[in-house]
Amino acid sequence: MPVTRSTGLLALGGIALAALLTVIGHLEVNDDLNPWALTISDFAVSDRGGVIDVAMVVLALATVALLYGLRRADPPRSRSARTAELLLGAWVGGLLLAAVVPTNEPGTAMTTAAYLHRYASVVAFLALPVSGWLLARRPALTPAARTLRTLVLLSLALAAAMIWSAYPGDRMLIGLAERLLILTEVAVLATVAVTQTRRVTPARGASAGVLLR
């Protein structure tokens, strides 16, 4: 199977699995938690080591597969291309750190770990849309450029809504804003993955084999 097609399919499988685990994590929480008023991290901390944390790790690994496919399909030559990959790496790092380091229980005082969790999440949420905007410039993703830019603009608007809710908005509907933001950002990853499944990049050594025939 061509390299980028296989990495695209692997990433899509990871994204789907992460989404399924997140839904299960919401259903398995025993506490009476309100998903519109509380963030996904609030749900995760009620079940440390549970499926929501696993979902974050799976999503990070799916992004690593996308990065590998991007490198094989279109190695970065410009500064913006390299920046896009660094930002995707920041998204991966932020997800993994947020999965490992817990936030505080809802209604309790913020701890050092909770602040680390919060800022790791902020880095991830901001890094992905900027990376998506830069990725839209790459020749390998030209067919999806308009979709990527639309999703990026929507995610930035939702990020602004979440910031407003977290500070002057007194956390009004912060859970809803965050879930819509995550859904939009995951759609950015899925768009890249789908594009990879439609692009053929021979495995290393294949071209040489053709020339020898």
Side-chain angles (χ1 to χ4, degrees):
M1 181 180 290
V3 173
T4 52
R5 179 173 172 79
S6 61
T7 56
L9 290 172
L10 181 62
L12 282 175
I15 291 168
L17 177 58
L20 177 61
L21 290 173
T22 302
V23 172
I24 293 172
H26 279 70
L27 296 176
E28 286 191 344
V29 172
N30 295 323
D31 301 327
D32 185 18
L33 301 178
N34 183 352
W36 310 131
L38 297 173
T39 65
I40 291 178
S41 295
D42 293 329
F43 273 69
V45 77
S46 68
D47 182 28
R48 288 308 305 161
V51 292
I52 292 180
D53 296 317
V54 175
M56 295 169 69
V57 174
V58 170
L59 187 58
L61 294 177
T63 306
V64 172
L66 285 182
L67 268 170
Y68 179 74
L70 285 169
R71 286 227 159 205
R72 294 302 302 265
D74 186 19
R77 298 179 179 86
S78 66
R79 179 176 297 178
S80 66
R82 290 192 294 270
T83 301
E85 293 191 357
L86 286 174
L87 289 170
L88 271 183
W91 156 263
V92 170
L95 277 181
L96 292 175
L97 189 56
V100 172
V101 180
T103 188
N104 58 300
E105 291 278 357
T108 63
M110 292 285 289
T111 62
T112 300
Y115 278 111
L116 184 58
H117 176 96
R118 171 183 290 181
Y119 292 116
S121 300
V122 169
V123 168
F125 284 151
L126 295 180
L128 182 59
V130 178
S131 177
W133 188 269
L134 295 175
L135 286 175
R137 301 177 181 178
R138 296 180 70 145
L141 296 174
T142 298
R146 180 176 295 181
T147 300
L148 285 173
R149 292 191 180 104
T150 300
L151 289 170
V152 165
L153 292 175
L154 181 56
S155 67
L156 290 175
L158 289 167
M162 188 175 173
I163 291 171
W164 176 87
S165 177
Y167 295 101
D170 196 27
R171 295 179 64 87
M172 183 176 69
L173 295 179
I174 191 171
L176 176 60
E178 185 201 45
R179 284 163 177 78
L180 291 175
L181 171 61
I182 292 173
L183 181 63
T184 306
E185 296 202 346
V186 170
V188 171
L189 297 175
T191 299
V192 176
V194 168
T195 305
Q196 283 188 359
T197 64
R198 297 172 179 171
R199 182 180 175 87
V200 176
T201 298
R204 188 172 295 175
S207 297
V210 171
L211 292 176
L212 290 174
R213 289 180 183 178

